[in-house]
C-alpha cells in the first residue's frame, strides 16, 4: 500500500500545476515576506486532483494499526474551512462514520451548536496545510474538551517549523516544506534584488 502514496516531488508537481504553490516575492498581511505562497484550495477545485491528494493522505493513516483497527467508527475533523475538502476526501477514503469542522467565531475556534460531550468518535484531525500549528492546537483543545480521543493528525503540506507531533501522535503529511519567511523587507533577499512584490491576503 505504501507504494501507492505519491512521492513529495509528485505532490509538489500537482500543487505547481494547479497554482496551489507559487514562487516569486510575496508579502503577507502580517508584513512578512516570502519567496513562496501556498493557496491550497486551488488544488482541490479539481475533483481528480483532490481525490489523489486526499486518498494519498488517507493511506498514511491506514498504515497505522491503531487507526486502521478502529475503522470505520472514527471521526475526521478539520480545524477550518480550508481543510474541509481534505476532510471529506479522507472521510470517504477511510469510510469514517463522522465528519466535523471547526469555525472561528468572536476570535474563538468552535463547532456549530449541538455538538455535545461524548458524541465524537476517536478522531483524526486533518488540514490542507500546517504552517505554525496554531489552528491544530486550538482544535485539539476543542476536541479534548468534548471528551474525544485524538488518534491521528495530518495535512497535505506541513511546514518544518510546525510541530511534528500532537502529544504522542505524529503529524503525517505528503510534503515536509522548509519555509523561508522574512520578518520585513529589510531582511528579505527578494527585496534586496528588487524583485517585484505581490501582496497576498493570507
Amino acid at each position: 500500500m505504501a507504494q501507492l502514496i505519491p512521492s513529495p516531488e509528485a505532490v509538489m508537481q500537482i500543487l505547481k500545476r494547479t497554482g496551489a504553490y507559487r514562487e516569486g516575492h510575496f508579502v503577507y498581511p502580517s508584513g512578512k515576506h516570502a519567496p513562496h505562497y501556498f493557496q491550497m484550495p486551488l488544488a482541490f477545485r479539481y475533483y481528480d486532483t483532490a481525490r489523489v491528494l486526499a486518498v494519498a493522505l488517507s493511506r498514511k493513516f491506514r498504515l497505522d494499526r491503531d487507526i486502521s483497527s478502529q475503522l470505520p467508527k472514527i471521526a475526521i475533523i478539520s480545524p477550518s474551512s480550508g481543510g474541509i475538502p481534505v476532510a471529506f476526501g479522507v472521510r470517504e477514503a477511510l469510510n469514517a462514520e463522522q465528519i466535523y469542522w471547526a469555525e472561528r467565531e468572536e476570535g474563538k475556534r468552535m463547532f456549530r451548536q449541538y455538538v455535545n460531550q461524548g458524541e465524537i468518535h476517536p478522531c483524526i484531525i486533518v488540514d490542507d496545510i500546517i504552517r505554525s500549528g496554531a489552528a491544530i492546537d486550538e482544535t485539539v483543545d476543542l476536541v479534548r474538551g468534548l471528551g474525544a480521543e485524538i488518534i491521528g493528525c495530518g495535512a497535505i503540506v506541513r511546514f518544518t517549523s510546525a510541530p511534528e507531533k500532537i502529544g504522542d501522535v505524529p503529524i503525517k503529511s505528503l510534503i515536509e516544506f522548509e519555509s523561508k519567511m522574512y520578518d520585513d523587507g529589510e531582511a528579505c533577499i527578494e527585496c534586496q534584488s528588487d524583485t517585484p512584490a505581490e501582496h497576498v491576503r493570507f
Side-chain angles (χ1 to χ4, degrees):
M1 186 175 293
Q3 67 270 21
L4 297 178
I5 300 173
S7 68
E9 293 76 19
V11 174
M12 184 58 81
Q13 285 303 313
I14 290 174
L15 300 185
K16 288 180 178 179
R17 187 179 71 247
T18 57
Y21 173 75
R22 299 168 188 263
E23 295 177 323
H25 181 194
F26 304 96
V27 181
Y28 289 74
S30 63
K32 291 188 175 183
H33 292 229
H36 50 71
Y37 178 59
F38 285 92
Q39 191 177 6
M40 299 297 289
L42 291 178
F44 280 83
R45 60 186 162 162
Y46 300 108
Y47 174 78
D48 289 345
T49 301
R51 181 166 175 77
V52 166
L53 296 174
V55 170
L57 185 58
S58 77
R59 285 177 176 144
K60 291 213 166 194
F61 293 124
R62 277 196 182 275
L63 290 171
D64 187 312
R65 289 186 178 181
D66 183 49
I67 293 174
S68 60
S69 67
Q70 298 188 61
L71 294 173
K73 201 174 177 62
I74 67 169
I76 308 298
I77 297 177
S78 169
S80 61
S81 59
I84 290 176
V86 185
F88 270 92
V90 171
R91 190 227 66 81
E92 182 180 7
L94 295 180
N95 197 31
E97 289 186 353
Q98 295 179 333
I99 185 166
Y100 298 90
W101 57 90
E103 300 172 0
R104 287 191 70 83
E105 188 172 320
E106 297 178 354
K108 184 179 180 181
R109 201 170 302 273
M110 61 181 66
F111 293 131
R112 293 292 181 99
Q113 63 192 103
Y114 307 126
V115 177
N116 299 315
Q117 181 85 16
E119 289 183 349
I120 301 176
H121 292 339
C123 69
I124 298 173
I125 299 173
V126 299
D127 210 347
D128 55 351
I129 185 168
I130 299 176
R131 293 182 175 90
S132 68
I136 296 290
D137 286 342
E138 291 177 7
T139 307
V140 166
D141 292 341
L142 176 62
V143 168
R144 287 179 174 161
L146 290 169
E149 178 189 5
I150 298 169
I151 59 174
C153 182
I156 306 302
V157 176
R158 184 187 73 86
F159 282 13
T160 55
S161 54
E164 296 182 0
K165 294 183 177 182
I166 295 175
D168 59 353
V169 176
I171 298 176
K172 304 178 187 299
S173 65
L174 300 182
I175 293 176
E176 301 284 304
F177 186 80
E178 188 173 352
S179 174
K180 297 178 181 177
M181 301 288 286
Y182 306 100
D183 290 335
D184 52 42
E186 291 185 6
C188 176
I189 294 176
E190 318 305 324
C191 285
Q192 294 171 15
S193 60
D194 294 324
T195 304
E198 182 178 352
H199 289 259
V200 292
R201 287 184 292 176
F202 49 81

